[in-house]
Amino acid sequence: ETGVTQSPTHLIKTRGQQVTLRCSSQSGHNTVSWYQQALGQGPQFIFQYYREEENGRGNFPPRFSGLQFPNYSSELNVNALELDDSALYLCASSLSADPGTGELFFGEGSRLTVL
Amino acid sequence: QQQVKQSPQSLIVQKGGISIINCAYENTAFDYFPWYQQFPGKGPALLIAIRPDVSEKKEGRFTISFNKSAKQFSLHIMDSQPGDSATYFCAARRGGSEKLVFGKGTKLTVNP
């Protein structure tokens, strides 16, 4: 059984650029959540995807968007990057018959630096 | 608005000692309270979790104490080991919600 895998592990972008981060769910998991973790802070919820539909969103602007694919893998896209977007982006998967009930398993994250 | 307040920010304990980390919450709709452990360069890993229908849950050296009336919960690490040195996060989730709300974390250092 493979865990949650994320790519790339590190990347550097400049302000105004766009970035796509990728996540492969743990085997058998149907729900993916994305979190942003700024340095020295706890993770903050961005959004969750369940059965390829967005199932809830945190306090993030529309330039943060996502997708979930039929194999339950997921992408996080961020447009018009700002310096404050520099953070560790965490993907978490869970197996939920109903959203909000599953235990979350986190990947190791993608470290984004915006210059 | 910080929905889950965690303290202390950092904690230094001697090997064999007890580490105690506290969290407080405001939203009485929260019904799931996990603790996560995060090592540098890694994602958070679930350590132990509790629901408010019990006051204590123990797994090995790790215990969650839960006080529903005070809206507080804490993590106790017995016989702390240098390998326990990590950042610990408490979190909470409202029933039926997809969103975990995290505390700001506690950096634990266990000296040999």
Side-chain angles (χ1 to χ4, degrees), chain A residues 46-68:
Chain A
I46 303 175
F47 43 55
Q48 183 187 73
Y49 280 82
Y50 174 64
R51 294 182 176 175
E52 302 178 55
E53 296 286 332
E54 187 180 289
N55 183 51
R57 188 178 185 92
N59 191 25
F60 281 82
R63 58 189 186 84
F64 285 77
S65 63
L67 285 173
Q68 186 182 30

Side-chain angles (χ1 to χ4, degrees), chain B residues 7 9 16 25 32-33 39 41-42 44 49 51 55-56 61 67 71 80 83 85 95 99 102 110 112:
Chain B
S7 63
Q9 188 174 353
Y25 65 96
Y32 173 70
F33 302 89
F39 292 104
K42 302 292 186 181
R51 294 194 183 270
S55 60
E56 186 175 282
R61 297 185 293 109
N67 186 328
K71 293 186 286 186
S80 299
S85 297
K99 173 184 174 181
F102 283 84
V110 181

Side-chain angles (χ1 to χ4, degrees), chain A residues 10-87:
Chain A
H10 296 82
L11 70 166
I12 299 173
K13 294 284 188 178
T14 56
R15 273 189 306 173
Q17 286 188 312
Q18 179 266 345
V19 67
T20 297
L21 308 178
R22 295 178 174 83
C23 172
S24 293
S25 306
Q26 185 161 320
S27 177
H29 285 185
N30 60 5
T31 303
V32 172
S33 303
W34 285 91
Y35 286 78
Q36 181 196 65
Q37 186 176 20
L39 200 61
Q41 301 294 317
Q44 289 203 325
F45 177 76
I46 303 175
F47 43 55
Q48 183 187 73
Y49 280 82
Y50 174 64
R51 294 182 176 175
E52 302 178 55
E53 296 286 332
E54 187 180 289
N55 183 51
R57 188 178 185 92
N59 191 25
F60 281 82
R63 58 189 186 84
F64 285 77
S65 63
L67 285 173
Q68 186 182 30
F69 300 100
N71 67 353
Y72 303 130
S73 65
S74 177
E75 286 182 356
L76 166 65
N77 297 289
V78 187
N79 294 321
L81 283 167
E82 300 177 359
L83 296 179
D84 284 349
D85 296 334
S86 295

Side-chain angles (χ1 to χ4, degrees), chain A residues 35 37 48 100 102-103 107-108, chain B residues 38 42 46 93 97-98 100:
Chain A
Y35 286 78
Q37 186 176 20
Q48 183 187 73
E103 176 184 326
E108 296 194 347
Chain B
Q38 186 175 31
K42 302 292 186 181
L46 180 66
R93 185 172 69 193
S97 169
E98 65 295 333
L100 265 181

